[in-house]
Amino acid sequence: MQLPNGDRAVLGDKLERYCLNYEHQKGKYKAFLFEKRLGITIANREILEGLYLKLLVKVKLNYIKSINMAIITILPFRFIPMLANL
């Protein structure tokens, strides 16, 4: 299934607040991996944001559900090949 209106997706502050935040209770583990494996931090978050936005339009989703007006998705991809194509 493709994400409906994926070309209009808005990530908001999710990357800064959660995925790249070393002080977030759950997100700090993702922040560590993004920095150590890919060199992505809050300072260059536009790399990760651009990747997510491209994927939302191109990749078929494995899982989708709605929680409190937000759509939760799991994108099946590998970062390294996708980063090489940016």
Side-chain angles (χ1 to χ4, degrees):
M1 171 182 191
Q2 293 292 124
L3 180 67
N5 302 310
D7 58 326
R8 298 187 306 175
V10 177
L11 298 178
D13 65 346
K14 183 83 171 186
L15 296 179
E16 296 91 344
R17 217 174 19 88
Y18 176 67
C19 296
L20 300 174
N21 184 351
Y22 275 98
E23 295 182 14
H24 190 279
Q25 183 178 357
K26 294 181 182 177
K28 62 185 172 188
Y29 304 107
K30 291 174 181 60
F32 177 80
L33 288 174
F34 279 125
E35 182 174 3
K36 297 301 177 195
R37 299 286 180 150
L38 302 172
I40 298 174
T41 65
I42 288 178
N44 60 0
R45 69 185 172 279
E46 64 278 352
I47 295 170
L48 186 58
E49 183 174 19
L51 178 61
Y52 273 126
L53 293 174
K54 282 183 180 183
L55 288 170
L56 288 175
V57 175
K58 294 180 180 180
V59 176
K60 290 187 179 182
L61 303 173
N62 279 345
Y63 181 77
I64 186 168
K65 68 179 178 177
S66 179
I67 298 176
N68 297 332
M69 304 285 289
I71 295 175
I72 309 301
T73 62
I74 297 174
L75 299 171
F77 68 94
R78 296 178 193 268
F79 265 111
I80 302 306
M82 289 299 297
L83 285 174
N85 293 324
L86 287 179

